[in-house]
Amino acid sequence: MAAASRVFAFRDARWAPDPVLEPSAAVRTPQPVPLVIDNGSFQTRAGWASADPAVPAEPLLRFRSLAARSRGARGGAGAETQVGNDLGSPEPLRWLLRSPFDRNVPVQLELQELLLDHVFQRLGVASQGCVDHPIVLTEAVCNPLYSRQMMSELLFECYQVPKVSYGVDSLYSFYHNKRQKWPCSGLVISSGYQCTHILPVLEGRLDAKNCKRINLGGCQAAVYLQRLLQLKYPGHFAAITLSRMEEILHEHSYIAEDYIEELQKWRSPEYYENNMHKMQLPFSNKLLGSTLTSEEKQERRQQQLRRLQELNARRREEKLQLDQERLDRLLYVQELLEDGQMDQFHKALVELNMDSAEELQSYINKLSLSVEQTKQKILQAEVNIEVDVVDSKPETPDLDPLGSEQSLEDVESINEFEPLFAEEQPEVEKPVAAVQPVFNLAEYHQLFLGTERIRAPEIVFQPSLIGEDQAGIAETMQYVLERYPKEQQAILVQNVFLTGGNTMYPGLKARVQKELLEMRPFQSSFQVHVLT
């Protein structure tokens, strides 16, 4: 139960801009050292391929393969382009972000040029408009010839590089982590950000005609997890961003060895409490009125009463002015009757929607009484220090025949303030208890991760979960193996190698072993390895 009480906060880490590195002399003498660029659809990495101990063997540059170009500042400045870690955080610029990749094939060469400019500039290799280092560039397996042609044109004509070598990143990983004597055979499962590949290798060479690709990877898992949590927590729709979903996938998700059996486990309340992860969204801990003392509450109440008193006095003055104008009009019509101007008198009665002089006299009496009452209340409010009490009954008769603009809604709106103008009774001082919130605000801003931890990464084995009409890793792996005779199948399964970003999921190796156990003949052997 200790794990159930743990709450994980989103790091929301900002990317630090990449510094401009000064290349050491070892990368130039006695001859330029090759520059290795891992051109991945999720992350671009660059470093030097040198045996000199003075040159770091690890990549010197790591950044997301993203670029954003603004539309220019208001002052007339040109468009500003930001690449990789210079973006700081991707979410504010999510709608401006562009990637040169379609799946894992570079198709937007102008964006690819921005990424290469960033690499060469930050590594300090650009000299007099050219790059004099050989380039080793990774690409997708069976990369289209047109894409390689455009990339070669970019490197040779734009950067004037002397040599270019292309290679498949998953095969580089397989050769580096080889478990058998060279030349070795094996089945490479490369699951990355955009795609998953099944690559058979026989005697050290890739059998390209039997390679298969699944158009699913970490990107689709992040989008699927985002939709799941947005449907589960519609109140936090905007806070459930793709960056946070990627963080959940990297740190809180795992692949179930048996998906159906794992879902049955999650139905148990005890298992749910022990394995559920709570993700804390940022929130403000300030509640209005929750920390006010009794004196502050009393002062706030007095301010509200003063504002309402001023509003009521202003409405009374407006009402008095309006009633006085109506009374003057009715008195003018009455003078027409006294002066004997009967034609004009009857015409005025029709305009007022009245039938006789008696009805006119009745309205004059009511309006006179209303005007006198309003004047008295105004005088009383000016003298009286206490809060005035608004009469709950309508103060004016129904004067709709006169074209009255004072409707019943206006009277009711004034009556709504009546409880606030009531005379205050002396209250006995009571101990003020601590104000408890209606609900736990921090818990309201928490995302409870249950089966979502396994549902998102499961799509690489069951693409039908997101409506994709594709085969998963297990079906594709079986399809590839069945294209070989049984002797070669036995050789391939002796070295099943897992590589790519999705190998970070806990449980992936056990899941592949389970799938192989189900598809392989009885008492046959196989071995599964993960990159180191």
Side-chain angles (χ1 to χ4, degrees):
M1 297 298 293
S5 61
R6 294 173 56 189
V7 178
F8 301 89
F10 285 106
R11 290 183 287 107
D12 291 337
R14 291 185 60 84
W15 303 335
D18 297 312
V20 178
L21 303 176
E22 186 68 26
S24 62
V27 303
R28 294 187 177 274
T29 56
Q31 58 184 0
V33 171
L35 176 61
V36 181
I37 301 177
D38 183 6
N39 194 31
S41 59
F42 177 76
Q43 188 180 61
T44 300
R45 296 179 291 181
W48 301 106
S50 175
D52 194 323
V55 180
E58 296 294 324
L60 299 178
L61 202 61
R62 299 171 184 262
F63 60 90
R64 289 288 297 272
S65 303
L66 297 172
R69 178 175 295 173
S70 63
R71 297 183 178 178
R74 294 182 179 178
E80 180 183 2
T81 302
Q82 295 176 324
V83 177
N85 294 331
D86 293 344
L87 294 170
S89 178
E91 292 309 325
L93 302 172
R94 178 66 67 179
W95 62 285
L96 288 175
L97 295 181
R98 298 292 182 270
S99 173
F101 295 89
D102 182 7
R103 299 301 180 183
N104 57 348
V105 176
V107 293
Q108 301 287 340
L109 271 301
E110 64 276 7
L111 297 177
Q112 183 65 58
E113 183 179 354
L114 294 177
L115 298 185
L116 293 176
D117 286 342
H118 185 77
V119 170
F120 297 144
Q121 178 187 5
R122 298 309 167 97
L123 290 181
V125 298
S127 59
Q128 298 180 357
C130 68
V131 178
D132 53 358
H133 292 265
I135 301 296
V136 178
L137 190 68
T138 63
E139 63 178 7
V141 62
C142 301
N143 192 37
L145 181 60
Y146 177 77
S147 177
R148 180 181 291 184
Q149 177 184 350
M150 297 301 294
M151 183 67 72
S152 300
E153 181 179 342
L154 175 65
L155 291 173
F156 285 118
E157 297 188 7
C158 182
Y159 299 103
Q160 301 179 12
V161 298
K163 299 177 183 179
V164 176
S165 174
Y166 295 99
V168 179
D169 52 356
S170 55
L171 293 181
Y172 283 153
S173 178
F174 176 70
Y175 298 152
H176 179 72
N177 295 270
K178 56 182 179 292
R179 302 283 179 171
Q180 302 171 354
K181 293 182 180 180
W182 191 258
C184 60
S185 301
L187 189 66
V188 181
I189 302 177
S190 175
S191 184
Y193 186 63
Q194 295 279 2
C195 298
T196 300
H197 292 94
I198 311 294
L199 312 177
V201 179
L202 293 172
E203 299 298 328
R205 297 188 63 85
L206 174 68
D207 187 7
K209 66 179 181 180
N210 289 322
C211 293
K212 296 299 175 183
R213 181 184 69 181
I214 306 171
N215 292 324
L216 290 174
C219 176
Q220 290 78 14
V223 173
Y224 180 48
L225 180 60
Q226 184 186 35
R227 291 177 179 176
L228 288 177
L229 292 180
Q230 285 178 344
L231 287 173
K232 187 176 181 180
Y233 300 98
H236 304 307
F237 191 90
I240 301 175
T241 62
L242 281 176
S243 298
R244 289 172 177 166
M245 298 305 100
E246 291 174 356
E247 182 179 338
I248 291 176
L249 287 175
H250 295 166
E251 300 181 6
H252 303 278
S253 298
Y254 66 97
I255 292 181
E257 183 174 352
D258 189 317
Y259 183 66
I260 302 300
E261 182 181 347
E262 190 72 15
L263 288 180
Q264 293 297 329
K265 292 180 181 178
W266 278 100
R267 296 182 64 181
S268 170
E270 183 178 358
Y271 186 88
Y272 179 85
E273 290 295 331
N274 291 335
N275 295 275
M276 177 261 300
H277 285 191
K278 300 178 183 179
M279 302 303 300
Q280 183 65 64
L281 293 171
F283 67 98
S284 176
N285 200 21
K286 295 181 179 180
L287 281 175
L288 295 178
S290 61
T291 59
L292 297 179
T293 62
S294 58
E295 291 79 6
E296 293 175 345
K297 292 181 180 179
Q298 183 68 18
E299 179 64 23
R300 177 171 294 185
R301 185 181 304 169
Q302 293 296 333
Q303 293 177 359
Q304 293 176 350
L305 291 176
R306 283 194 294 270
R307 287 196 299 267
L308 291 174
Q309 184 178 8
E310 294 174 358
L311 176 63
N312 190 59
R314 185 166 58 252
R315 288 189 175 183
R316 280 177 175 165
E317 292 177 355
E318 294 175 355
K319 174 181 176 297
L320 176 62
Q321 181 180 1
L322 187 60
D323 288 347
Q324 187 65 46
E325 292 177 357
R326 293 171 183 163
L327 181 60
D328 293 341
R329 183 183 177 187
L330 294 180
L331 291 176
Y332 171 76
V333 175
Q334 190 178 32
E335 289 178 359
L336 293 178
L337 176 63
E338 295 175 353
D339 295 342
Q341 302 177 9
M342 302 302 298
D343 294 338
Q344 296 182 5
F345 173 72
H346 289 296
K347 184 177 180 181
L349 284 182
V350 172
E351 293 177 356
L352 295 175
N353 198 16
M354 295 184 183
D355 298 330
S356 60
E358 291 78 8
E359 187 176 358
L360 173 64
Q361 186 63 40
S362 174
Y363 277 107
I364 291 176
N365 296 335
K366 291 180 181 179
L367 266 180
S368 300
L369 180 61
S370 175
V371 168
E372 292 298 328
Q373 290 179 351
T374 305
K375 289 181 179 179
Q376 292 179 5
K377 289 187 177 182
I378 292 177
L379 293 175
Q380 183 180 1
E382 293 177 353
V383 177
N384 197 353
I385 302 177
E386 297 180 358
V387 179
D388 200 358
V389 181
V390 179
D391 192 1
S392 61
K393 298 181 179 180
E395 299 181 4
T396 59
D398 186 8
L399 298 179
D400 287 340
L402 299 179
S404 172
E405 299 178 2
Q406 183 75 11
S407 63
L408 184 59
E409 295 181 356
D410 296 333
V411 179
E412 292 178 351
S413 62
I414 298 177
N415 294 337
E416 291 176 359
F417 298 103
E418 182 179 0
L420 298 176
F421 285 84
E423 296 182 359
E424 298 182 1
Q425 300 295 332
E427 298 180 357
V428 180
E429 188 67 23
K430 298 180 181 180
V432 179
V435 179
Q436 298 294 334
V438 179
F439 58 91
N440 190 336
L441 191 61
E443 186 174 344
Y444 175 73
H445 288 84
Q446 289 176 2
L447 306 180
F448 289 67
L449 301 179
T451 57
E452 292 83 7
R453 296 179 58 194
I454 62 174
R455 292 176 67 182
E458 182 66 19
I459 66 171
V460 295
F461 288 92
Q462 299 187 54
S464 59
L465 291 176
I466 59 174
E468 291 288 341
D469 188 14
Q470 299 184 51
I473 289 180
E475 293 86 349
T476 307
M477 184 168 50
Q478 183 177 9
Y479 177 80
V480 171
L481 289 174
E482 289 177 351
R483 298 177 69 89
Y484 295 94
K486 293 184 179 180
E487 294 77 11
Q488 289 185 336
Q489 290 185 24
I491 295 175
L492 290 175
V493 298
Q494 290 303 317
N495 188 16
V496 178
F497 180 68
L498 307 179
T499 184
N502 289 337
T503 58
M504 295 188 299
Y505 287 131
L508 178 61
K509 180 179 179 180
R511 177 63 176 270
V512 174
Q513 289 175 339
K514 174 183 175 296
E515 300 292 349
L516 282 171
L517 184 63
E518 293 179 354
M519 71 178 66
R520 296 299 297 155
F522 179 65
Q523 290 185 343
S524 62
S525 61
F526 56 85
Q527 294 184 11
V528 180
H529 308 287
V530 183
L531 68 91
T532 56

